[in-house]
Amino acid sequence: MTTFVDRVELHIAAGNGGHGCASVHREKFKPLGGPDGGNGGRGGDITLVVDQSVTTLLDYHHSPHRKATNGKPGEGGNRSGKDGQDLVLPVPDGTVILDKQGNVLADLVGQGTSYVAAQGGRGGLGNAALASARRKAPGFALLGEPGRTGDIVLELKTVADVALVGYPSAGKSSLISVLSAAKPKIADYPFTTLVPNLGVVTAGSTVYTIADVPGLIPGASQGKGLGLEFLRHVERCSVLVHVLDTATLESERDPVSDLDVIEAELKEYGAGLENRPRLVVLNKIDVPDGKDLAEMVRPDLEERGYRVFEVSAVAHTGLKELSFALAELVGAARAAKPKEEATRIVIRPQAVDDSGFSVVQEEDGLFRVRGEKPERWVRQTDFNNDEAVGYLADRLERLGVEAELMKAGARTGDGVAIGSEEDAVVFDWEPTMASGAEMLGRRGEDHRFEAPRPAAIRRRDKQAERDEADEEFDEFKPF
C-alpha cells in the first residue's frame, strides 16, 4: 500500500461569489421605501500552508479534487450574504507548486509559508449599493464573480542539510539510524528504502538534518529504478555523502566504480548537484574483506580530492569523526548563504496613459476587448435584465471602450468579444449606448433597448454618411 507520495496533481476550485439582491423596502405607509438589496458574500480562497507535521502528499493523492465554499447571496433588508469559508490545505515543508506547463508558481519553505492557489470570486453588489442620485431605484443587482479554477502540480523536495546517496544496500539506512534517532526500515535486500528518511543529528553546537535517499543505480537520471523519483529530494541539500559498500558480493562492482556511476547520474540530473561539497564514506569495515578493500581504495579516492571516512554502522566505528566533519561543512554552507532580508513592499502604480484594457482586431474581423475591469463587469452582468445590460454599457462607455473601438475601426454591426476565447461574451456592436441607465422606466427595463434616443439617431446618421462617403471613394478609386 502506498504510504509516501511526493508528486501529485491537484484540481482546485475556489468559491463563487454570492449574487447581489434586487429588493425594494416595503412597509406600511411608506410607498417609496427605496432599494434595500444586500451584497453577495465573497467566495472562499484555496491556500496552501506549510505544516511541519505533514511529511507526505498522500492525502491529495487519494483526494485530488478540492473546492472552497461559495459566498451566500444577499437578501432584502440590506442583509449581505455570508462570505465563503477559505480552504487551507497543509503541505510538507519544501513543497514546490507548478502549473500544468511546469512553471514554478511558488516554493514553500519554512513553517507557516503560504500561497493562495485560487482566489474566491467577488460578491455581487445589491441594488442598494448601486443606487445613486440619478438611479434611485435600480431594478437589478450584480451577479457574483466565479471563483478561480484550475490544475496545479505539487512536488515535494526534502529540506535537509545532508543527503546520503549510493547504491541499494550500501548501508545508508543503517548509517542514518545510528547517526540520528530515525528508525528506517533495514533489511538485506535491494531497494529496502522506498521513501526518503529524515533524521536530526547533533554534533557539538551544530544541529543539522540528514536525509537517506533511496538507492540509485545506473540510468537513475533517466528514470531507471527509483532514482528519478527521489533525486529531487537531493536538490535542497547542502552536502552530499557518498556511502560506498566495501563488502558487496557482486563481482563486477567495487567502491570506486560505484562512486563513478553515482557521480555520473548526479551530473546528468543537473540542478547544480555536481557542485555540492561532498564526502566519501567507506561503510561496512566491520567485515574483514571490507576493511582490506577500504584500505586499498582510500588512497585513490583521496587523490581525487575527496575526504574519506571509514565507518561501520553496525560496530559504531568512525561515526563521531564523520558527524563532526558533516557539521563543519553544514556550518560553512549556512554561513555562505546570503542573509535573508525583510520582504520589501513594492508599489507599482498604474501608468497615467494605461486605460486598463486593450482592443485588438483579430484576423476574422472580430474586435476583442481584454482587461480586468471589462471582463469582470461582463461576468457580473445579468443579461436577462435590460437595465443591467444598460448599466454595463454605461460603465464600458465611461471607461472608454466605445471610443477605443471607434479608433480601432469598428463599425455598426461588427462583432465585439469581451474576454478570452474560452469565456468571452460576443455581440454585434451598436455604438448607441451613451450614458443614461438612470432613465426612469419599469424596473428591470432600459428604454434604450426599445427605441433610439435623438443623440443615438444623430450618431447613426453620421456613421451612415461616413459609410456612404467610403463607398463613393471606393467606386471612383482608380484601379
Side-chain angles (χ1 to χ4, degrees):
M1 184 179 67
T2 301
T3 58
F4 179 84
V5 174
D6 62 352
R7 191 178 192 278
V8 68
E9 183 175 335
L10 202 59
H11 313 284
I12 55 176
N16 300 327
H19 299 330
C21 175
S23 173
V24 174
H25 181 72
R26 290 179 174 84
E27 187 176 346
K28 191 175 182 180
F29 304 122
K30 288 187 178 181
L32 300 176
D36 66 349
N39 302 331
R42 177 187 61 84
D45 298 334
I46 295 183
T47 305
L48 304 176
V49 181
V50 173
D51 187 344
Q52 297 285 6
S53 64
V54 179
T55 58
T56 177
L57 300 174
L58 184 63
D59 288 346
Y60 307 118
H61 172 74
H62 293 308
S63 302
H65 296 271
R66 300 300 175 108
K67 188 180 187 308
T69 58
N70 299 329
K72 300 296 183 181
E75 300 179 4
N78 294 303
R79 288 173 292 182
S80 296
K82 184 180 179 181
D83 291 341
Q85 187 173 3
D86 295 337
L87 180 61
V88 179
L89 303 178
V91 295
D93 192 5
T95 301
V96 180
I97 306 172
L98 308 98
D99 59 17
K100 292 282 288 184
Q101 291 71 39
N103 301 313
V104 176
L105 303 176
D107 191 353
L108 305 182
V109 178
Q111 175 70 21
T113 306
S114 63
Y115 172 73
V116 179
Q119 198 168 29
R122 301 187 187 189
L125 297 179
N127 65 343
L130 296 173
S132 65
R134 291 186 292 181
R135 188 187 296 107
K136 297 184 181 297
F140 67 98
L142 299 185
L143 303 179
E145 189 178 6
R148 298 297 177 89
T149 61
D151 300 332
I152 58 175
V153 177
L154 305 183
E155 280 191 356
L156 175 59
K157 296 182 180 180
T158 304
V159 180
D161 298 303
V162 179
L164 304 180
V165 295
Y167 264 75
S169 297
K172 299 183 299 299
S173 298
S174 300
L175 192 57
I176 195 175
S177 68
V178 294
L179 285 174
S180 69
K183 301 298 179 185
K185 181 180 179 181
I186 300 173
D188 59 352
Y189 55 85
F191 298 113
T192 308
T193 303
L194 299 178
V195 302
N197 296 303
L198 280 176
V200 179
V201 182
T202 302
S205 60
T206 303
V207 179
Y208 57 91
T209 55
I210 187 169
D212 163 22
V213 180
L216 305 180
I217 60 176
S221 58
Q222 280 76 42
K224 191 174 181 181
L226 300 177
L228 188 60
E229 293 295 323
F230 299 108
L231 269 173
R232 71 169 67 98
H233 294 279
V234 188
E235 291 184 25
R236 299 187 192 275
C237 298
S238 304
V239 181
L240 298 180
V241 176
H242 285 285
V243 181
L244 305 180
D245 187 356
T246 61
T248 179
L249 299 177
E250 300 179 33
S251 58
E252 70 276 5
R253 285 179 50 200
D254 64 82
V256 176
S257 62
D258 288 357
L259 175 66
D260 292 337
V261 169
I262 300 303
E263 280 290 336
E265 293 303 323
L266 293 175
K267 184 177 181 180
E268 183 70 21
Y269 182 77
L273 298 182
E274 65 276 7
N275 300 322
R276 305 288 170 82
R278 60 247 290 136
L279 298 178
V280 172
V281 170
L282 299 173
N283 194 22
K284 303 183 183 180
I285 62 170
D286 56 292
V287 179
D289 291 341
K291 178 65 175 177
D292 296 339
L293 183 57
E295 292 177 352
M296 291 175 57
V297 300
R298 178 167 186 160
D300 187 12
L301 295 174
E302 289 178 341
E303 284 182 6
R304 298 188 183 191
Y306 294 108
R307 294 179 63 185
V308 182
F309 293 84
E310 298 179 16
V311 304
S312 169
V314 174
H316 290 215
T317 304
L319 299 179
K320 184 176 180 181
E321 294 82 358
L322 174 62
S323 63
F324 276 89
L326 292 176
E328 179 184 347
L329 289 177
V330 170
R334 290 174 179 174
K337 281 186 178 181
K339 294 183 178 180
E340 295 184 1
E341 298 181 356
T343 304
R344 298 178 62 186
I345 300 175
V346 180
I347 300 176
R348 295 183 175 89
Q350 185 177 0
V352 176
D353 57 349
D354 185 4
S355 60
F357 67 92
S358 62
V359 177
V360 178
Q361 186 176 14
E362 300 180 346
E363 294 181 358
D364 56 359
L366 183 72
F367 291 86
R368 188 172 298 276
V369 180
R370 296 302 308 271
E372 192 272 333
K373 281 187 177 181
E375 292 183 36
R376 173 162 52 86
W377 292 346
V378 164
R379 290 193 296 266
Q380 291 186 312
T381 299
D382 179 7
F383 287 92
N384 294 320
N385 187 304
D386 289 349
E387 191 179 352
V389 177
Y391 178 68
L392 170 64
D394 293 342
R395 301 177 88 179
L396 295 176
E397 194 273 336
R398 287 195 298 269
L399 187 62
V401 173
E402 186 168 315
E404 287 298 321
L405 284 170
M406 289 181 130
K407 289 181 182 179
R411 297 186 178 183
T412 302
D414 286 345
V416 175
I418 299 180
S420 61
E421 296 181 0
E422 294 78 15
D423 57 355
V425 173
V426 183
F427 56 91
D428 293 334
W429 188 49
E430 289 287 341
T432 60
M433 296 296 184
S435 179
E438 70 279 356
M439 296 176 61
L440 295 178
R442 290 187 298 173
R443 288 168 52 76
E445 294 183 355
D446 191 315
H447 292 308
R448 292 173 294 178
F449 291 91
E450 300 173 2
R453 292 177 293 165
I457 295 176
R458 290 194 299 270
R459 174 182 280 173
R460 183 174 298 176
D461 291 342
K462 289 182 180 179
Q463 182 67 38
E465 291 176 3
R466 288 195 293 268
D467 294 344
E468 184 178 353
D470 291 342
E471 292 176 1
E472 292 178 357
F473 176 76
D474 293 339
E475 181 178 353
F476 293 102
K477 183 170 63 175
F479 295 97

